[in-house]
């Protein structure tokens, strides 16, 4: 089912309505996000809305700069904020439900908010400047790369190889959530798992090598 194109004003009103129906702590935290690009007139922002569950064969790169799905999102392949009008970043994807996909990329000042569970079959890459990943429910994936950008998770976390950190959703009235257990591995273990054990000889080289791999191949995993 194709996304419905709506005005940015309509989109923001619908997101606010749905956010108000969430548990207080999660709704309060989502309300802190600036969901549209700073300084960009609303009239210039393409907005997409899906009422109900959404099934996608292949990859899902939202064609609109801001996108909301009012239901579960299930994608056979990649979910990425890099594509369509969000190709250069500053994109927002908010899902009022669960997200299940094979891989996920979120970067360059983009926001992904999942109010339910986020279940990713292969890997999550969310390690570039000013991006944000919020999961209201449980978060499960074999490999998570976040580096200096944490993932905020309201439920449980199950990650086999994680480079980065996680925080809890802040309680109402609190600015930050506490650190949350994440099965971190050393940078050497991450490099070895991703086939970069010989190429990466220092920690500061890891993210640069992973960035280049994602840019050139579209995957975290070796070819």
């Amino acid at each position: 089912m194709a996304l419905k194109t709506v005005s940015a004003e309509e989109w923001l009103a619908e997101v606010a309505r749905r956010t108000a129906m969430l548990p207080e702590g999660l709704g309060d935290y989502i309300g802190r996000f600036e969901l549209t690009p700073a300084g960009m007139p609303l009239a210039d922002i393409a907005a997409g809305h899906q009422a109900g569950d959404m099934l996608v064969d292949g990859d899902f790169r939202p064609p609109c700069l801001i996108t909301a799905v009012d239901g579960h999102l299930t994608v056979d392949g990649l979910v990425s904020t890099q594509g369509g009008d969000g190709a250069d970043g500053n994109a927002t994807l908010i899902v009022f439900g669960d997200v299940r996909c094979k891989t996920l990329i979120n970067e360059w000042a983009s926001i992904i908010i999942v109010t339910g569970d986020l279940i990713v079959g292969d890997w999550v890459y969310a390690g570039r400047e000013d991006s944000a990943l919020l999961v209201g429910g449980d978060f499960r994936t074999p490999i998570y790369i976040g580096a200096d950008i944490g993932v905020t998770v309201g439920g449980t976390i199950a990650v086999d190889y994680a480079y980065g950190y996680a925080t809890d959703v802040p309680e109402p009235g609190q600015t930050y959530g506490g650190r949350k257990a994440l099965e971190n591995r050393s940078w050497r273990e991450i490099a070895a798992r991703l086939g970069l054990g010989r190429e990466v000889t220092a920690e500061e080289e890891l993210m640069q090598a992973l960035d280049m791999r994602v840019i050139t191949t579209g995957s975290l995993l070796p070819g």
Side-chain angles (χ1 to χ4, degrees):
M1 184 180 296
L3 290 164
K4 178 183 177 182
T5 301
V6 298
S7 70
E9 290 90 345
E10 291 174 307
W11 189 91
L12 287 168
E14 182 61 21
V15 167
R17 182 190 71 81
R18 286 295 284 112
T19 299
M21 299 169 62
L22 297 172
E24 183 180 2
L26 180 59
D28 174 74
Y29 190 56
I30 291 174
R32 303 181 195 180
F33 284 88
E34 187 169 2
L35 300 176
T36 60
M40 189 173 183
L42 293 182
D44 295 339
I45 298 174
H49 181 263
Q50 167 73 20
D53 296 345
M54 189 171 187
L55 301 175
V56 179
D57 294 327
D59 298 339
F60 180 58
R61 289 181 171 87
C64 298
L65 193 60
I66 56 176
T67 303
V69 177
D70 193 357
H72 302 310
L73 173 63
T74 303
V75 178
D76 286 345
L78 168 72
V79 171
S80 176
T81 50
Q82 310 304 293
D85 283 352
D88 295 326
N90 293 297
T92 295
L93 170 63
I94 181 167
V95 178
F96 292 98
D98 300 335
V99 172
R100 293 178 179 269
C101 59
K102 184 177 182 181
T103 54
L104 185 146
I105 295 175
N106 185 49
E107 53 191 9
W108 295 128
S110 293
I111 299 168
I112 293 180
I113 296 171
V114 180
T115 66
D117 298 335
L118 174 59
I119 313 298
V120 184
D122 287 354
W123 51 262
V124 172
Y125 183 72
R128 282 194 179 155
E129 287 87 343
D130 300 322
S131 61
L133 177 59
L134 165 62
V135 182
D138 298 336
F139 176 42
R140 299 205 301 270
T141 188
I143 302 171
Y144 167 74
I145 302 296
D148 294 333
I149 300 171
V151 55
T152 301
V153 181
T156 62
I157 299 173
V159 180
D160 296 328
Y161 285 82
Y163 185 69
Y165 67 96
T167 58
D168 206 347
V169 174
E171 295 292 333
Q174 298 297 312
T175 302
Y176 304 107
R179 284 287 184 122
K180 206 172 181 76
L182 186 63
E183 292 184 88
N184 284 305
R185 304 290 184 113
S186 71
W187 67 268
R188 293 183 185 277
E189 290 177 289
I190 295 292
R193 172 64 181 82
L194 298 178
L196 296 168
R198 295 183 178 180
E199 178 181 346
V200 174
T201 58
E203 184 171 5
E204 57 268 23
E205 298 171 353
L206 178 62
M207 288 304 298
Q208 182 178 357
L210 292 177
D211 275 346
M212 185 58 63
R213 175 177 285 176
V214 171
I215 289 170
T216 56
T217 72
S219 176
L220 272 181
L221 303 178

